[in-house]
Amino acid sequence: MSEKNQETEVAVKKNFIHQIIEDEIKEGKNNGRVHTRFPPEPNGYLHIGHAKSICLNFGTAQKYGGLTNLRFDDTNPSKEETEYVDSIKDDIRWLGFDWGDREYYASDYFNKLFDFAVKLINEGKAYIDDQDAETISSQKGTPTRPGTESPYRNRSVQENLDLFMKMKDGGFNEGDCVLRAKIDMDSPNMHMRDPILYRIMKTPHHRTGDKWYIYPMYDFAHGQCDYWEGITNSICTLEFEVHRPLYDWFIDQLKSDDYRPRQIEFARLNLSYTVMSKRKLLELVKDKHVKGWDDPRMPTISGLRRRGYTPASIRNFSDRIGVTKVDGMIDVALLEHSVREDLNKTAQRIMGVLDPLKVVITNYPEGQVEQLEAVNNPEDPEAGTRMVPFTREIYIERDDFMENPPNKFFRLAPGREVRLRYAYFITCTDVIKDADGNITELHCTYDPASKGGNSPDGRKVKATLHWVSVTENVKAEVRLYDRLFSDETPDGHKDVDFKEFMNPGSLQVLSECYIEPFVKQSKPFDHFQFERLGYFNLDPDSTPGKLVFNRTVQLRDTWSKEQNK
Ligand code: ATP
Ligand code: MG
């Protein structure tokens, strides 16, 4: 299959980055070529913030007929693992994007970066500093006070070369020395004050094994990788804005013709009630506050997928929130809206009862199983219909009945008639209780003339209930999720750990739920709308003997005349 066919064409709203690119194309910059990259560090799973960056990078290239590279920023071997590389690739593909054969690693460039460092040393633009990290940072100065030059700053080129080779060959211990660029200790930009280029790390690397004892800093790697890959627009988040002069300084030392990559910054996504830092997400996983990276309460792409989010819903969300230069906070409700909107168009409708109350229809023949026709998706005429079995005993939702209903409760109550969706009108005749006064079942009668749920004589009922047969069903576990944090900005409180704001009720497991038999044929990750209850999907924890569903998102009840859910 060609690359084009595999990729999902994404409608992307025009944003300020597109404007920059259109201007560049008009000026004939890079011969009209547009080439972006997505540069994850493989030290955790991707989250919804990364999804924004992925949609922006891949979407922008698509919009202008360009290309996007996937480049793993694997410059820190102590935190990086192959598991993360694999999950990142799965997540990007699942979102609908394809990097073709352009899968790169910063570590692919370790030799070139080393040679570039040697070139800088030869040109007197880099030196080995024997001071420890603390001393170096104490000499940095402040934005208003210039830094102090290192006593090792004016070593000879030859001495620097010898020491750098010794660093490379493992002749020093970690922390003994670093390679620094020799730029300007008086620069108003702190990043230009002789930044560190290489440090000694005697940690094996997930790709280069134990070949290297020194590793480049991120700042020393990513701009050069952009250059070598022919990237035209290096899109990154706002915190890198102050690094841009350094990015450009390195490119100035490298470039040989007109071409140079251009760094453009945008505001990262912050979502309410969510933490987005990989370090904090890792903490939640490691300390078992959640079941794993793909726990459906996590803001990771794999968590959202497991929760029942669709790729289209995440792409639409990314497009809807737009791209700006100002940090802000997006309401998590907007993400929920996006998935609701997408699933409304596509999800198979079924009936399931989560908190069952048995109803015996006393005038319905015992042992009879009647197949009633139900609509699969009212939003999609092509989806057709299915048959749902109806029997004398059914379950309804416990909260669809009230013995002493207040004025605004229109659902089932003693003496009242309601419609069972696709089935019949029923009237409650008796309420059966146990010795403690708990309602154990209801007795009702049905009107055989109301088959299909149609009124036989124009008489009206005020509510329509979903139901499941007591004998013809699939028993299931249903997991209901609430926000993982009960505070809008869990990591925005000084001196209070974000975990203090974890919502103890974020997972509720309902183990006795009944679903119509249709779901027997479904596969993990299949989406459903449980009528009146929300969108759900089948969890991979399901076994043939026990289906497990996740509630993706709630649904507003649109059937009954009251707003009861
Ligand atoms: P985190 O702060 O969550 O650890 P990171 O920036 O260290 O994230 P990287 O793997 O380096 O994670 O990110 C890869 C790309 O995704 C970068 O270009 C980064 O700018 C972008 N990115 C990360 N978080 C967000 C976010 N919340 N919104 C938009 N883009 C993001
Ligand atoms: Mg990073």
Side-chain angles (χ1 to χ4, degrees):
M1 208 189 300
S2 84
E3 188 179 305
K4 203 71 200 158
N5 292 339
Q6 278 177 20
E7 285 205 46
T8 309
E9 289 292 337
V10 182
V12 184
K13 262 195 329 227
K14 187 157 161 180
N15 57 49
F16 81 91
I17 295 179
H18 298 145
Q19 192 54 57
I20 292 176
I21 291 177
E22 287 180 19
D23 292 344
E24 287 176 348
I25 292 173
K26 248 187 243 150
E27 291 162 18
K29 199 179 165 198
N30 302 315
N31 301 320
R33 205 166 54 79
V34 175
H35 201 151
T36 60
R37 86 288 174 262
F38 175 66
E41 181 175 359
N43 62 350
Y45 280 56
L46 297 181
H47 53 59
I48 182 74
H50 294 115
K52 174 177 176 175
S53 176
I54 293 167
C55 292
L56 177 59
N57 277 296
F58 283 89
T60 298
Q62 270 183 16
K63 192 176 165 97
Y64 299 103
L67 296 170
T68 305
N69 293 1
L70 171 60
R71 185 194 319 129
F72 289 99
D73 152 35
D74 56 352
T75 48
N76 184 354
S78 65
K79 291 191 294 183
E80 293 153 10
E81 288 174 29
T82 311
E83 176 197 347
Y84 298 137
V85 168
D86 294 340
S87 75
I88 288 169
K89 292 200 279 186
D90 285 350
D91 287 348
I92 301 173
R93 271 193 214 106
W94 178 78
L95 276 175
F97 299 107
D98 187 350
W99 54 92
D101 57 0
R102 296 176 310 283
E103 175 180 328
Y104 301 118
Y105 294 78
S107 55
D108 297 341
Y109 305 96
F110 281 176
N111 285 328
K112 282 178 114 165
L113 287 165
F114 179 82
D115 292 345
F116 180 47
V118 169
K119 170 179 144 81
L120 292 180
I121 294 174
N122 274 319
E123 293 172 0
K125 291 172 184 163
Y127 62 97
I128 305 292
D129 195 336
D130 296 357
Q131 303 180 104
D132 58 31
E134 218 173 299
T135 312
I136 292 176
S137 101
S138 74
Q139 293 168 346
K140 273 242 136 163
T142 66
T144 49
R145 188 166 51 79
T148 310
E149 293 190 356
S150 163
Y152 300 97
R153 198 171 196 261
N154 295 312
R155 276 179 153 149
S156 71
V157 166
Q158 195 53 53
E159 189 182 3
N160 278 320
L161 284 177
D162 292 346
L163 291 170
F164 193 45
M165 293 306 156
K166 190 170 167 192
M167 273 173 76
K168 176 187 178 239
D169 294 337
F172 289 113
N173 292 320
E174 288 189 13
D176 280 355
C177 48
V178 293
L179 180 72
R180 295 176 71 177
K182 190 170 172 179
I183 307 178
D184 181 3
M185 290 305 287
D186 293 344
S187 170
N189 184 316
M190 302 285 287
H191 296 280
M192 300 297 273
R193 295 185 185 174
D194 292 10
I196 295 173
L197 308 184
Y198 267 94
R199 75 273 204 218
I200 299 168
M201 281 181 95
K202 298 201 162 173
T203 312
H205 187 278
H206 74 115
R207 282 177 69 85
T208 58
D210 48 17
K211 174 168 178 206
W212 294 92
Y213 297 108
I214 55 172
Y215 291 95
M217 301 299 288
Y218 177 69
D219 270 346
F220 186 63
H222 78 121
Q224 286 84 295
C225 296
D226 287 344
Y227 178 81
W228 288 318
E229 287 175 18
I231 301 303
T232 57
N233 301 90
S234 181
I235 302 170
C236 63
T237 42
L238 278 183
E239 70 274 18
F240 289 101
E241 192 163 14
V242 286
H243 297 238
R244 192 179 346 125
L246 181 59
Y247 181 100
D248 286 336
W249 189 86
F250 289 132
I251 301 296
D252 286 339
Q253 314 308 312
L254 256 189
K255 78 192 256 303
S256 58
D257 56 20
D258 278 351
Y259 157 70
R260 67 180 304 141
R262 172 174 181 180
Q263 176 177 304
I264 306 173
E265 309 84 14
F266 71 101
R268 61 172 51 229
L269 167 65
N270 298 307
L271 263 190
S272 60
Y273 298 96
T274 308
V275 299
M276 207 89 94
S277 135
K278 274 189 281 189
R279 185 179 58 74
K280 288 174 186 149
L281 296 177
L282 178 66
E283 194 177 329
L284 293 176
V285 173
K286 282 226 162 114
D287 298 345
K288 302 208 165 15
H289 296 288
V290 293
K291 291 186 195 164
W293 284 102
D294 68 344
D295 186 300
R297 291 165 294 177
M298 291 281 272
T300 50
I301 297 177
S302 51
L304 291 167
R305 168 171 56 211
R306 186 154 183 180
R307 174 79 169 255
Y309 276 75
T310 56
S313 67
I314 295 177
R315 293 195 305 261
N316 292 342
F317 169 75
S318 296
D319 194 35
R320 190 168 279 150
I321 58 178
V323 181
T324 67
K325 271 277 191 192
V326 194
D327 273 319
M329 166 89 77
I330 300 289
D331 190 339
V332 68
L334 198 61
L335 182 63
E336 292 165 356
H337 169 76
S338 290
V339 73
R340 201 179 276 124
E341 180 187 58
D342 188 44
L343 290 175
N344 179 45
K345 289 182 282 185
T346 56
Q348 166 76 41
R349 271 57 169 173
I350 55 169
M351 292 196 285
V353 172
L354 305 192
D355 184 12
L357 173 61
K358 190 183 203 181
V359 173
V360 180
I361 299 163
T362 51
N363 60 339
Y364 192 86
E366 266 181 68
Q368 178 169 306
V369 180
E370 196 177 355
Q371 298 293 338
L372 300 170
E373 190 173 26
V375 173
N376 284 334
N377 182 354
E379 301 290 321
D380 176 10
E382 308 265 291
T385 60
R386 69 189 184 285
M387 304 311 278
V388 186
F390 186 77
T391 51
R392 176 180 159 96
E393 295 189 351
I394 59 165
Y395 293 117
I396 63 166
E397 218 64 66
R398 190 163 279 275
D399 70 2
D400 276 339
F401 174 79
M402 278 185 94
E403 195 172 11
N404 300 298
N407 274 346
K408 287 197 166 156
F409 186 88
F410 298 115
R411 291 166 282 165
L412 198 59
R416 185 179 292 169
E417 186 171 57
V418 297
R419 173 189 292 110
L420 293 178
R421 177 81 152 155
Y422 301 122
Y424 293 100
F425 284 15
I426 59 167
T427 304
C428 179
T429 54
D430 276 300
V431 181
I432 316 297
K433 297 181 185 175
D434 64 14
D436 300 325
N438 301 312
I439 299 172
T440 53
E441 63 181 52
L442 303 176
H443 287 181
C444 294
T445 56
Y446 85 119
D447 179 354
S450 62
K451 186 167 176 177
N454 302 312
S455 179
D457 52 9
R459 76 180 187 268
K460 292 211 159 53
V461 288
K462 285 191 171 164
T464 301
L465 309 187
H466 61 275
W467 53 273
V468 171
S469 159
V470 168
T471 51
E472 309 292 313
N473 66 53
V474 178
K475 197 173 168 185
E477 174 182 307
V478 173
R479 298 173 182 169
L480 304 180
Y481 302 101
D482 197 354
R483 290 170 183 170
L484 192 52
F485 296 95
S486 42
D487 188 89
E488 219 181 354
T489 50
D491 51 5
H493 298 265
K494 247 194 167 170
D495 307 323
V496 191
D497 186 82
F498 72 101
K499 295 192 296 308
E500 296 292 314
F501 300 104
M502 288 195 77
N503 170 10
S506 62
L507 170 63
Q508 193 190 348
V509 178
L510 306 175
S511 51
E512 208 204 320
C513 306
Y514 297 98
I515 321 288
E516 65 171 274
F518 182 83
V519 294
K520 274 184 197 160
Q521 336 155 12
S522 50
K523 309 182 295 304
F525 298 103
D526 280 356
H527 304 280
F528 299 96
Q529 185 195 94
F530 286 14
E531 300 223 26
R532 298 176 69 225
L533 298 176
Y535 294 99
F536 294 72
N537 78 340
L538 194 68
D539 190 88
D541 277 349
S542 299
T543 58
K546 184 182 140 200
L547 296 188
V548 178
F549 289 89
N550 299 305
R551 184 168 68 194
T552 310
V553 69
Q554 267 173 300
L555 180 83
R556 201 168 279 153
D557 187 351
T558 51
W559 293 1
S560 74
K561 296 203 167 150
E562 53 197 318
Q563 286 293 317
N564 51 42
K565 283 263 152 56

